[in-house]
Amino acid sequence: MTMTRRQLLATTGALALPLAAGKGFAQTAEFTLKFGSNLPAIHPLNVRATEMAANLKAESKGRIDLQVYPNNQLGNDTDMLSQMRSGALDFMTLSPLILGTLVPAAQINGVGFAFKDYNQVWAAMDGELGAHVRKQIAATGTIFAFDKIWDNGYRHVTNSVRPIAKPDDLKGLKLRTPPGPMWVSMFKALEASPTPLNFAEVYSALQTKVVDGQENPLAIISAAKLSEVQKYCSLTGHMWDGYWFMGNKKLFERLPADLQALMAKHVAASAALQRADIRKANDTLQTDLKAKGMAFNDAPADAFRDKLRSGGFYADWHKKFGDEAWGLLEKYTGKLS
Ligand code: X2X
């Protein structure tokens, strides 16, 4: 039994779902657009995306019908990214670290233990670092990201074997990570045994013990009911992760300028609301997850950061990203390598 949709909405502060988006507009939309997400429908990201779709329909007087497909309904992250690139999907939200398989520069916000707090996160992602990454995404020529990144949260390690309080506790742990190079690199450097899997496969991989654990923010651990298959939640906060709200360039440019501007306005406005929801959820869900039987422990970051530093992790990624991008990152985080 997990948090109900009503409880999660109450926890996250997300408004109740608006009335059916199509209410009051009889005619078929001029533009029917598809949005895909890998998260459960009750996660604040999809609650806000659904609310945004209703607002877009209302403000465009029915001209835009944004259809929201949560929970990997259109396929997993890898499938949806190729659909969006080919023009079979208008929009999706995607972690910058999975996007890293196509745009390596995008992974930079996921450097382990980089952002000390949300002040640093938003200064960077709404500032020069985010602008730098969006420029690299646009350079693909096929996809783009809207200005304001949505929030996933600080990621923590869960598993069914032991609490993770210090780096040695990760040794040999079979840890599912999303399919992104940064995750594999970091957990190898911490001597875990990372197994990249799309999120669609996580619950069953944990249930069948194909892997011992995974790592995600509390809002996802709750929405995906991972407390049913995981005992320990260790507050490593090893990475801040976000969701670029991305689109296919050609499809988006098909829209008249006024509707493009309307989309950009609403994606930014919904990002602000979703960020507040995630912050609230990730600050409050511990109590709920403990009530469901998860054992929580702290995991002070310094020992993990020191192990990464002494093992050359930061120096390696500095080289991969280059001086310009690394300089932009350290402008907000302070010296890492
Ligand atoms: O795949 C994950 O763990 C998730 C849901 O957090 C991402 O989208 C990166």
Side-chain angles (χ1 to χ4, degrees):
M1 227 295 270
T2 61
M3 188 177 249
T4 62
R5 171 202 187 98
R6 182 183 300 278
Q7 283 171 320
L8 187 68
L9 289 178
T11 306
T12 63
L15 303 176
L17 281 182
L19 290 174
K23 200 170 160 60
F25 298 102
Q27 84 276 20
T28 48
E30 196 178 332
F31 297 96
T32 299
L33 308 171
K34 288 195 301 185
F35 162 74
S37 156
N38 66 353
L39 293 178
I42 62 165
H43 186 278
L45 182 143
N46 283 311
V47 170
R48 291 300 181 183
T50 303
E51 180 189 62
M52 180 175 79
N55 294 338
L56 276 168
K57 180 163 276 189
E59 213 169 315
S60 69
K61 295 186 176 36
R63 293 173 65 199
I64 290 182
D65 175 17
L66 179 68
Q67 298 177 343
V68 176
Y69 294 90
N71 228 15
N72 294 297
Q73 287 174 4
L74 299 178
N76 62 36
D77 287 313
T78 318
D79 303 329
M80 287 193 283
L81 179 56
S82 54
Q83 288 167 26
M84 185 174 65
R85 289 179 71 195
S86 70
L89 176 62
D90 295 281
F91 306 107
M92 74 179 290
T93 40
L94 185 66
S95 162
L97 279 76
I98 297 177
L99 179 62
T101 51
L102 177 68
V103 184
Q107 305 173 88
I108 196 159
N109 65 272
V111 168
F113 303 94
F115 292 117
K116 310 296 179 296
D117 56 35
Y118 267 108
N119 291 333
Q120 290 187 353
V121 168
W122 301 133
M125 300 314 289
D126 292 342
E128 291 177 70
L129 187 66
H132 169 79
V133 170
R134 288 194 304 279
K135 200 164 140 216
Q136 305 303 315
I137 297 171
T140 60
T142 51
I143 57 174
F144 72 97
F146 285 95
D147 285 357
K148 297 289 180 192
I149 194 167
W150 291 34
D151 194 8
N152 190 351
Y154 277 89
R155 302 179 74 96
H156 304 298
V157 174
T158 69
N159 80 92
S160 52
V161 178
R162 56 181 173 265
I164 306 297
K166 58 190 185 306
D168 280 2
D169 296 334
L170 280 171
K171 274 186 179 168
L173 196 77
K174 287 182 292 177
L175 194 68
R176 175 271 170 179
T177 72
M182 175 68 74
W183 274 289
V184 174
S185 157
M186 187 173 78
F187 282 106
K188 273 191 175 152
L190 292 170
E191 297 186 81
S193 169
T195 307
L197 288 174
N198 274 295
F199 190 60
E201 300 149 74
V202 171
Y203 188 96
S204 57
L206 294 168
Q207 193 175 35
T208 57
K209 305 264 190 269
V210 163
V211 290
D212 301 318
Q214 64 86 48
E215 44 79 63
N216 250 298
L218 300 188
I220 288 185
I221 294 165
S222 175
K225 306 174 190 173
L226 300 186
S227 56
E228 295 172 354
V229 288
Q230 295 282 261
K231 173 68 188 159
Y232 302 103
C233 183
S234 303
L235 298 172
T236 51
H238 53 272
M239 179 191 282
W240 175 79
D241 195 12
Y243 278 107
W244 286 118
F245 198 109
M246 305 179 65
N248 175 284
K249 181 174 183 289
K250 208 176 276 173
L251 294 178
F252 186 65
E253 287 172 353
R254 211 177 34 134
L255 299 178
D258 62 325
L259 295 185
Q260 289 186 31
L262 191 66
M263 274 283 323
K265 182 183 98 172
H266 280 281
V267 170
S270 298
L273 296 169
Q274 189 266 350
R275 291 178 182 183
D277 296 341
I278 291 296
R279 190 73 187 271
K280 190 169 178 191
N282 286 327
D283 287 348
T284 58
L285 281 174
Q286 247 190 75
T287 312
D288 176 67
L289 290 165
K290 279 178 183 164
K292 292 182 175 65
M294 291 198 91
F296 278 74
N297 70 280
D298 290 325
D302 287 350
F304 293 88
R305 205 179 276 124
D306 291 347
K307 179 161 186 172
L308 290 177
R309 187 174 292 117
S310 59
F313 170 82
Y314 293 114
D316 290 349
W317 281 97
H318 180 164
K319 219 175 285 146
K320 285 187 177 84
F321 287 124
D323 291 343
E324 185 205 353
W326 195 262
L328 283 177
L329 175 66
E330 289 191 325
K331 176 176 178 171
Y332 300 98
T333 64
K335 200 105 185 69
L336 292 169
S337 48

